């Protein structure tokens, strides 16, 4: 367990006013409603360097974001060589985030990316029907991952 008593940080990334781009935020809010023990939820439009200090001491970071292509739902471990596989449109990519944590804090971050394919990125605050289904599947997947990882530590 980390020094703050939080084992997981879940970061929902996206713009909830651009329909499916907000799916990461939606999933994070739904997970927050579950009050999972030792899980801290953050919701943001994009990753910021300022997050590094806070999350660099946590056990596992799960980033949830919309993708514009690829599988309906992808859940994978990210390292600093992952750039070629990612389809995020955000300026600060996860491999850069990991690299900064290694250089500044001498810490290898355990980051998982849950990427959910969006279908509509037009202005609006409602998820498309397909992406809403993918979001519910992602919630189950993340809950199962947290449960499995928590039990493996005990």
């Amino acid at each position: 367990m980390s020094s703050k008593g939080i084992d997981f940080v879940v970061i929902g990334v996206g713009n909830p006013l651009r329909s499916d781009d907000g799916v990461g935020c939606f999933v994070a809010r739904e997970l927050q409603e579950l009050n999972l023990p030792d899980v801290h939820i953050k919701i943001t439009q994009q990753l910021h360097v300022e997050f590094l200090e806070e999350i660099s001491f946590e056990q596992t970071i799960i980033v949830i974001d919309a993708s514009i292509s690829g599988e309906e739902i992808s859940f994978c471990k990210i390292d600093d060589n992952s750039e070629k596989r990612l389809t995020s449109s955000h300026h600060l990519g996860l491999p850069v985030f990991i690299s900064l944590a290694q250089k500044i804090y001498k810490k290898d971050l355990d980051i998982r990316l849950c990427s959910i394919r969006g279908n509509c990125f037009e202005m609006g605050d409602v998820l498309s029907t397909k992406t809403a289904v993918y979001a519910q599947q992602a919630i189950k997947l993340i809950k199962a991952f947290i449960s499995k990882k928590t039990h493996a530590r005990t």
Side-chain angles (χ1 to χ4, degrees):
M1 190 179 300
S2 74
S3 61
K4 297 178 191 172
I6 298 171
D7 287 334
F8 300 91
V9 173
V10 174
I11 304 173
V13 180
N15 183 346
L17 298 178
R18 292 215 32 234
S19 303
D20 292 350
D21 191 51
V23 69
C25 300
F26 173 83
V27 170
R29 275 194 298 277
E30 292 292 307
L31 290 167
Q32 190 169 34
E33 291 294 317
L34 298 174
N35 293 315
L36 300 170
D38 300 324
V39 176
H40 177 69
I41 306 289
K42 292 185 78 61
I43 297 171
T44 184
Q45 287 199 11
Q46 63 183 13
L47 289 176
H48 299 280
V49 175
E50 293 82 9
F51 292 168
L52 264 179
E53 183 175 3
E54 179 181 346
I55 70 169
S56 64
F57 301 102
E58 307 309 340
Q59 296 289 331
T60 304
I61 297 106
I62 301 170
V63 177
I64 311 162
D65 196 6
S67 67
I68 56 174
S69 63
E71 300 174 39
E72 288 90 4
I73 301 172
S74 171
F75 191 82
C76 61
K77 183 172 175 63
I78 302 298
D79 57 39
D80 55 357
N81 296 315
S82 300
E83 193 71 53
K84 296 177 184 89
R85 298 190 312 255
L86 301 179
T87 58
S88 175
S89 63
H90 300 289
H91 298 290
L92 178 61
L94 289 174
V96 172
F97 209 66
I98 290 170
S99 181
L100 286 170
Q102 290 169 337
K103 287 180 173 91
I104 297 169
Y105 296 101
K106 310 294 187 233
K107 170 89 189 263
D108 290 324
L109 296 179
D110 179 10
I111 295 186
R112 311 300 168 116
L113 174 63
C114 180
S115 182
I116 304 166
R117 191 175 69 212
N119 295 285
C120 175
F121 292 89
E122 301 297 322
M123 296 302 287
D125 61 357
V126 177
L127 298 176
S128 68
T129 303
K130 282 185 181 181
T131 301
V133 170
Y134 302 154
Q136 294 304 318
Q137 293 169 353
I139 292 165
K140 290 178 186 173
L141 179 77
I142 293 167
K143 279 177 37 183
F145 172 80
I146 290 171
S147 177
K148 182 178 178 182
K149 194 143 179 154
T150 300
H151 285 76
R153 289 183 189 153
T154 58

